[in-house]
Each structure stands twice: as structure tokens, then as C-alpha cells.
Amino acid sequence: MEWSIPKELAMGLKHHSYSDASLESSAAELSMDYTQVKVPLGKFNVGDHFMVPSISLEQTNFEVNNAPNAAGDPTLYTIKSQFMFIKKLDDKWMRIIQVTPSLHTDGDVLDDEAFSLTGLAIWKYNSTVNSGWTMGIGVNRLFGEYKPIPLVAYQYRPSPQTQIDVGFPVTRYEHRWKSNWTGFASIKPVGGNWRFKTTQEDKVNVSYSSWVASTGIRYQFKPKMWTTLELGQGFGRKFDIDTDDNTGEVDIDDSTAIMFSIGLHH
């Protein structure tokens, strides 16, 4: 039986925890926890496309220590309904269109700025049996602000057990050294943007952006079911509170991150 590299988490639970890190020009420290539950809703034929819908529930907790905090320590939520349309154009080309309406809020603010529609259009080209390219553009909140982001990556598979992706915004390497174990390393962005009501009853936009370099292992305990443990370092981190009057962006020191997930990988 030929081993292969598992794809992204399709259904399951994911949790990230970031240690305390100092805020710029301040004695204050910021810690962060993130939890996601993702559930696919099936696979359907829509014209000449496959449609794969899913729903994702996310919770992000920020906690500020060692400083008076008029804004409070926000617990923020994101609910996403993702619709992915896949079409194989020919033996070498595939097109993927992804549309994601979402709600991102602390639960109290539900105005029009708490809703967004993000999207992604990518084309995959298999240049050889063992290599290919991914090219496209997405509009999302990966870097905190809601803005367009180019996507380009070169994928090389020297064997079915090894995969290398070099590109933007994600670069990674993964190797399956046993039938039920893989090891990997990656660099990728992590971020988001939410609507939030402060302790002074002001409605503001809160955004966070960073890069995470990490390494980890996966263990397959049932067919297509994997548990993943990952240790990383967050860097290039920024936290921003945007009010009607001004924007207060601060840099955050690097932070250690521990990440865990369990669930179905296609």
C-alpha cells in the first residue's frame, strides 16, 4: 500500500495556545488562545463543479496582564460558512473557487462591520507527475485587515511519502516515515479581525496578525483520522484596536505556541 501525505484538516478540533509576550513600549503582556471546530456538510454536484460546503466555529481569547486595560480582555468569535467549488479543467489544470460568508464578533456587536464575505480563486497546474504549481488570489483577514492576498506555490513530491511546498503565504515540508506517523515543518500567517465592545461601551475593530514557524508530528489512529502536535514560534506580531477617531497598533514580542488538532484529513 502506498503511503501519502495527509491534506488539511477537513473535520475536527484544533487548539492553539500562545505564551505571554510583552507589548511595545509597555510593561503589559498579551497571551492568546484559539480554538476551532470544523464540520463538512457533504459533497454535491453543481453543474460541472463539485461543491464542498463546510461550517467552522472559532473562538479567540486575548488576555492583557500587568496593565490597566480599559478595553477589557476580549473573547472573540468567528462563524464561517465555506462553499468550495472544484472543477477539473483537463488532465493538468484544476480550478477552485471558494466563497466564505462569515460573522466575526465578541457576541455583543452584530452591525454590518461584523459581517464579511471572503473569497479565494486558485488554479492548480500539474507540470509533471511529481510536481505542480498553485496560483491565485484571495480576499481575507489572514493579515488582520480585510484585503486581497496573492497566492503562489511550487509543490514537489520526490516520493509519495514526502511533500515540499514553497511559496506565499505558506511554505512547508512533510515526510511520512511510517505508515501512521509523519513529521513536518512550516511557516504561515495567522491573523484575524473582529468587532468588539469595550468596557466603556465603544464599538471598535480588533485585529491581530503574525507569522508562525513551527514543527510537529502527526499520528494516524484510524483511516484518515489523525492527531497532530505542533510546537512553534510566533513572530512579526501586531495587535490593533481601530476606533472611529484613531488607530492604535502595537508590536508584540515573539511568543512560543503549542498547537494540537484531532480529526479527519482527506
Side-chain angles (χ1 to χ4, degrees), residues 34 52 82 103 128 155 169 176 179 190 198 211 213 263 265:
Y34 166 84
V52 184
Q82 188 177 88
L103 169 68
T128 71
Q155 184 182 85
R176 189 168 179 171
S179 61
V190 173
T198 70
W211 289 89
H265 294 247

Side-chain angles (χ1 to χ4, degrees), residues 142-191:
L142 260 183
F143 292 93
E145 297 179 5
Y146 183 71
K147 61 183 179 182
I149 299 170
L151 299 100
V152 60
Y154 174 71
Q155 184 182 85
Y156 177 56
R157 297 175 295 276
S159 72
Q161 296 83 36
T162 303
Q163 182 171 311
I164 303 167
D165 295 271
V166 179
F168 180 88
V170 178
T171 291
R172 72 185 184 109
Y173 167 88
E174 186 157 0
H175 177 68
R176 189 168 179 171
W177 80 84
K178 286 189 176 181
S179 61
N180 56 350
W181 286 96
T182 81
F184 63 90
S186 71
I187 299 176
K188 61 187 176 183
V190 173

Side-chain angles (χ1 to χ4, degrees), residues 74-77 104-110 114 194-198:
T75 297
L76 304 165
Y77 304 94
H104 36 99
T105 175
D106 63 351
D108 292 327
V109 183
L110 297 175
W194 304 266
R195 286 288 279 170
F196 168 61
K197 183 183 288 186
T198 70

Side-chain angles (χ1 to χ4, degrees), residues 24-257:
E24 175 187 15
S25 303
S26 170
E29 293 183 328
L30 179 74
S31 62
M32 173 182 161
D33 285 280
Y34 166 84
T35 303
Q36 178 193 42
V37 177
K38 186 176 182 180
V39 180
L41 302 177
K43 184 177 181 179
F44 306 92
N45 289 318
V46 179
D48 55 357
H49 291 75
F50 287 114
M51 183 182 74
V52 184
S54 66
I55 188 167
S56 172
L57 308 176
E58 304 172 12
Q59 177 179 304
T60 304
N61 297 305
F62 291 102
E63 184 175 342
V64 180
N65 300 310
N66 303 327
N69 188 10
D73 296 322
T75 297
L76 304 165
Y77 304 94
T78 302
I79 303 173
K80 298 178 182 177
S81 297
Q82 188 177 88
F83 300 90
M84 186 180 297
F85 299 88
I86 305 169
K87 182 179 180 179
K88 187 175 181 180
L89 303 175
D90 55 36
D91 291 340
K92 289 186 175 292
W93 285 94
M94 177 184 293
R95 183 181 66 209
I96 300 173
I97 305 294
Q98 184 175 295
V99 180
T100 308
S102 67
L103 169 68
H104 36 99
T105 175
D106 63 351
D108 292 327
V109 183
L110 297 175
D111 57 17
D112 57 350
E113 292 186 56
F115 294 87
S116 68
L117 182 65
T118 62
L120 173 68
I122 64 175
W123 287 262
K124 289 178 173 277
Y125 175 69
N126 294 320
S127 50
T128 71
V129 174
N130 299 320
S131 64
W133 290 87
T134 299
M135 298 158 284
I137 189 168
V139 179
N140 55 43
R141 296 177 291 113
L142 260 183
F143 292 93
E145 297 179 5
Y146 183 71
K147 61 183 179 182
I149 299 170
L151 299 100
V152 60
Y154 174 71
Q155 184 182 85
Y156 177 56
R157 297 175 295 276
S159 72
Q161 296 83 36
T162 303
Q163 182 171 311
I164 303 167
D165 295 271
V166 179
F168 180 88
V170 178
T171 291
R172 72 185 184 109
Y173 167 88
E174 186 157 0
H175 177 68
R176 189 168 179 171
W177 80 84
K178 286 189 176 181
S179 61
N180 56 350
W181 286 96
T182 81
F184 63 90
S186 71
I187 299 176
K188 61 187 176 183
V190 173
N193 183 286
W194 304 266
R195 286 288 279 170
F196 168 61
K197 183 183 288 186
T198 70
T199 54
Q200 298 176 336
E201 299 297 311
D202 295 322
K203 295 179 181 180
V204 300
N205 290 316
V206 178
S207 67
Y208 169 81
S209 62
S210 73
W211 289 89
V212 176
S214 65
T215 184
I217 56 172
R218 303 189 207 276
Y219 173 69
Q220 182 179 239
F221 58 93
K222 286 186 177 180
K224 298 185 178 181
M225 298 293 292
W226 295 79
T227 182
T228 302
L229 182 63
E230 196 171 352
L231 180 65
Q233 182 84 355
F235 62 95
R237 307 174 72 207
K238 295 183 182 294
F239 186 75
D240 176 82
I241 295 181
D242 185 4
T243 69
D244 292 335
D245 299 325
N246 58 61
T247 297
E249 181 181 89
V250 295
D251 292 331
I252 312 169
D253 282 353
D254 296 353
S255 174
T256 301

